[in-house]
Amino acid sequence: MIRWLLALAVLLIASPALADELRPVSIQLEQVDEARWNLGWRQPLASPQADRTARPDLPEVCEFSGEPVLDNSALAVVGRADVTCKEDIAGSRIGWPALFGQGDAILRVAPLDRPVQVYRLTAQEPYAEVEARPSSLQVWRGYFVIGVEHILAGWDHLLFVIALVLLVGRTWPVIKATTAFTVAHSITLAATTLGVTGLPQRPVEALIALSIVFLAVEIARGTKETITRRLPWVVAFAFGLLHGFGFAGALREIGLPEGEVPAALVSFNLGVEAGQLLVIALVLLVLAVIRRVRAGAEAPALRIASYAIGITGAYWLVDRVIG
C-alpha cells in the first residue's frame, strides 16, 4: 500500500500541468434572419505553436459569406464569421473535425423559431445533427456531463476535495465538511454566473492552489488540534466560496446557452456534485482498506499523501503567481 501511495505521489508531482484542464472548444451558431447566421468559436491551444487553422465544419446547406475574422492570442484562437444557409439546417450536421487530442467541444445552435440546442462533441463523435424539435432534457444532460468532467479533470478542485477527506477521515464529519463546501461553491458559482459578483480569474486560481497547500500542511501536522480539525466545515465553507469562483471561470470558458441559463447552471452544478461524491466515496474506501489491511499504516500513508498534495499545490501556486 505504501508503494502505491509513493507511486501516486510521483504521478502528482510529475503532472502539475493537469490543473483545470477543462478548456473545451466553444462553437456558437446563431440565426439572424431566414438565411443569415452568425458563427463564432473559441479554440484553446496547448501551446503557442499549436495549429490555428481549424474551423467549424458547417451544415451542408450553409457556406461562409466571407473570410472568417480571427483574433489570435498566445493560447487561444477566437473566430467569427457570417454564414448563409439556403434552407433550414434541421437534419444537417455541424461539428469540429479537428478534435483529436484537443478534448471536447461545446456546440450551441440558436435558431430564431426554436429552442437553443446544446451538444457536446468528442474526438469519437465530432459532429452533431441539428434537431427540428430538440428534447427539453438536452441542456440538462449536456451540462451535467460537463460538470462531472470538470471536477474529475480539473485536478486542483479534485485535489482539494481529496485533501479535505484525508484531513477529516471519518464518514459523518466528511459529510458535514463536504456539504459546507458544496453549499459555499454553489453560492459563488451562481452569483458569478448571473453577474451579481465576481473576481479576476488569475488571483482566484492562485488562491485555490494556496488552499490546497493549506490543507496539505494541516494533514502533515497529524493529530495536532487546529481550527481545521475542530471545525472542518467552517474551513471547507470558506474555501468553497473561493472554489466557486474557479468553477464559474470554467463555466464562463464554456459559455451558457441564452434562454437556458438556469437549467445549464443547475445541471452543471449537479454534475460537479456527482463527480465530487464519487471521489469522496473512493477516498473513504481507500482509507477503510488501509485501516483494515495494516494496523498503523494510516499515519505514514497520510503523511506521504500530504507531501504529494502539498508539493503539487505549491508548484501551482508559484506557477500562477509568476506565470
Side-chain angles (χ1 to χ4, degrees):
M1 185 62 70
I2 299 296
R3 293 193 191 96
W4 281 107
L5 286 169
L6 283 170
L8 175 61
V10 172
L11 175 63
L12 289 172
I13 295 168
S15 306
L18 291 172
D20 249 348
E21 66 178 18
L22 180 71
R23 291 292 184 269
V25 175
S26 177
I27 310 165
Q28 182 160 312
L29 184 63
E30 295 184 345
Q31 190 172 14
V32 178
D33 56 32
E34 185 176 351
R36 293 186 302 133
W37 296 69
N38 287 334
L39 175 67
W41 69 92
R42 185 180 187 280
Q43 177 195 7
L45 303 174
S47 71
Q49 293 76 37
D51 180 28
R52 298 169 179 268
T53 61
R55 61 183 63 182
D57 219 354
L58 296 176
E60 53 269 25
V61 297
C62 303
E63 60 183 15
F64 289 104
S65 300
E67 279 298 311
V69 177
L70 302 179
D71 296 329
N72 288 279
S73 64
L75 294 178
V77 175
V78 177
R80 57 189 182 277
D82 295 325
V83 172
T84 301
C85 300
K86 56 189 177 184
E87 58 185 77
D88 190 357
I89 67 171
S92 300
R93 297 201 315 157
I94 179 174
W96 187 271
L99 268 182
F100 182 76
Q102 291 191 16
D104 297 346
I106 305 300
L107 167 65
R108 300 198 305 275
V109 181
L112 282 176
D113 56 350
R114 292 191 296 273
V116 172
Q117 303 180 37
V118 180
Y119 301 93
R120 171 174 165 267
L121 310 179
T122 66
Q124 292 74 35
E125 297 183 15
Y127 288 87
E129 183 174 310
V130 180
E131 300 179 17
R133 297 172 183 251
S135 165
S136 60
L137 295 177
Q138 189 182 71
V139 171
W140 288 87
R141 183 174 59 249
Y143 278 84
F144 179 86
V145 172
I146 294 167
V148 173
E149 289 186 341
H150 179 61
I151 191 66
L152 297 181
W155 275 73
D156 48 1
H157 302 298
L158 185 64
L159 213 53
F160 180 88
V161 172
I162 292 172
L164 184 62
V165 177
L166 293 179
L167 177 68
V168 179
R170 304 293 174 178
T171 303
W172 180 239
V174 164
I175 291 173
K176 291 193 291 186
T178 53
T179 299
F181 180 69
T182 294
V183 170
H185 74 62
S186 298
I187 291 171
T188 47
L189 171 61
T192 304
T193 303
L194 298 176
V196 177
T197 186
L199 289 176
Q201 197 63 19
R202 292 291 294 180
V204 166
E205 291 179 354
L207 290 172
I208 288 173
L210 183 61
S211 72
I212 296 169
V213 175
F214 175 83
L215 287 189
V217 171
E218 291 288 285
I219 297 170
R221 296 178 71 179
T223 58
K224 291 182 180 179
E225 192 70 8
T226 65
I227 187 173
T228 308
R229 290 192 178 278
R230 289 198 309 271
L231 299 170
W233 66 270
V234 173
V235 175
F237 186 87
F239 283 132
L241 293 172
L242 180 65
H243 280 251
F245 289 113
F247 287 131
L251 194 54
R252 193 162 47 242
E253 289 276 347
I254 296 167
L256 292 169
E258 186 177 349
E260 299 285 348
V261 171
L265 180 59
V266 172
S267 55
F268 175 82
N269 204 44
L270 289 174
V272 168
E273 299 323 311
Q276 182 176 291
L277 289 173
L278 175 62
V279 171
I280 290 168
L282 289 174
V283 176
L284 287 174
L285 177 63
V286 170
L287 288 175
V289 169
I290 291 174
R291 293 175 189 133
R292 181 179 291 271
V293 170
R294 186 172 177 182
E298 184 178 0
L302 289 177
R303 191 171 296 112
I304 292 171
S306 72
Y307 293 156
I309 292 170
I311 292 171
T312 306
Y315 177 92
W316 288 337
L317 176 61
V318 174
D319 180 63
R320 293 170 183 185
V321 168
I322 68 175

